[in-house]
Amino acid sequence: MHLYVDCHEHDSVDKIRDLAAQYGIKIVCVCPEQNNPKPWNVAVRGEAGQKRILSYFKNVIDVAVELGVPQILVTSGWAYLAKDAWARSVAMLRSVCDYADTRGIRVALEALQPSESVLVNTAQDVARILEAVDRPNLKACIDFGAMEVAGDTIVHTHFVDVGGGTTHLAWGDGERDMRADLEALMRHGYTGYVSAETCDGRYYQDPSKATTQVIEMYRRVT
């Protein structure tokens, strides 16, 4: 969130690359700002807005390439009327995926909660939009929070705890059985990454504490 990107330009990635090397951090995904109330809406209406959105995601993809990151994260975008917005979302995702393919980048699509978007909320919605976009480099990312709200059981995976109506908690701050989630991932042969998306407001002043808590909980059960 501290790397500025818009439809015209992006900050130099040199500092992030240097910090990652200094602290031994492997960056596995670029997750750009998007959706309501952000201006970067995949399902935006109008030719001018769509041109800006595509330029924005091209810059995001370029950032991923410069950082040596294999994928970016996108959502379906948002609108109040799903019928028209669905077609706009599919068209934009095709364009984003086509550019990403020329740069060797995967595009991971995240389902959202109904309060965030009416377009893609469930595993069935994800399968439907993957089929509609029909691009081999478009993959699925199911957020545990959105998954629980939708009542789904598949995972792939923003590894967050959930409780009290909040879906971006550090492991141990919610009520979800995260150990069972890990066991399910391993049982089904999942060998990818799990992202601790601890972006609730309670962590803003000391985000490293939440990260450390997740790591300690993970090491305790693996």
Side-chain angles (χ1 to χ4, degrees):
M1 67 179 69
H2 302 298
L3 178 78
Y4 182 78
V5 185
D6 64 19
C7 57
H8 302 293
E9 61 183 354
H10 63 79
D11 284 346
S12 169
V13 304
D14 291 345
K15 183 176 181 180
I16 291 179
R17 188 190 294 116
D18 292 345
L19 286 170
Q22 179 182 346
Y23 289 100
I25 294 173
K26 182 177 182 179
I27 304 173
V28 299
C29 185
V30 174
C31 181
E33 290 190 316
Q34 54 196 294
N35 284 332
N36 185 18
K38 306 296 183 183
W40 312 116
N41 176 13
V42 166
V44 69
R45 186 191 304 272
E47 185 177 346
Q50 290 161 1
K51 183 178 179 180
R52 286 194 299 270
I53 296 304
L54 181 56
S55 294
Y56 172 71
F57 278 100
K58 284 182 175 180
N59 282 337
V60 171
I61 291 164
D62 290 344
V63 165
V65 171
E66 291 182 38
L67 285 172
V69 176
Q71 64 190 9
I72 68 164
L73 186 135
V74 299
T75 68
S76 60
W78 68 277
Y80 296 111
L81 299 175
K83 182 178 179 180
D84 294 338
W86 174 268
R88 297 196 300 268
S89 179
V90 168
M92 181 60 66
L93 288 170
R94 285 175 180 163
S95 296
V96 170
C97 288
D98 287 344
Y99 181 74
D101 186 56
T102 69
R103 305 287 275 151
I105 297 294
R106 290 191 305 269
V107 179
L109 179 86
E110 177 185 6
L112 298 174
Q113 299 175 53
S115 60
E116 298 170 317
S117 173
V118 297
L119 297 178
V120 176
N121 306 129
T122 67
Q124 290 76 21
D125 294 337
V126 172
R128 180 175 167 236
I129 201 165
L130 289 178
E131 182 178 5
V133 175
D134 191 25
R135 294 297 188 270
N137 61 331
L138 182 63
K139 308 299 181 180
C141 170
I142 302 290
D143 183 288
F144 275 4
M147 181 183 73
E148 179 160 302
V149 170
D152 290 327
T153 56
I154 69 169
V155 289
H156 176 101
T157 170
H158 277 181
F159 198 68
V160 296
D161 209 340
V162 182
T166 303
T167 60
H168 294 94
L169 299 178
W171 189 351
D173 289 346
E175 303 160 3
R176 189 171 177 85
D177 188 347
M178 305 291 285
R179 179 167 186 160
D181 288 329
L182 269 183
E183 291 172 348
L185 287 170
M186 292 185 288
R187 187 167 60 250
H188 290 281
Y190 178 72
T191 58
Y193 293 95
V194 291
S195 300
E197 194 185 21
T198 51
C199 58
D200 187 68
R202 72 187 71 181
Y203 306 124
Y204 289 172
Q205 289 190 331
D206 191 4
S208 61
K209 181 179 179 181
T211 302
T212 300
Q213 178 176 316
V214 174
I215 292 172
E216 288 178 349
M217 293 289 286
Y218 179 85
R219 288 174 174 168
R220 194 178 302 169
V221 300
T222 59

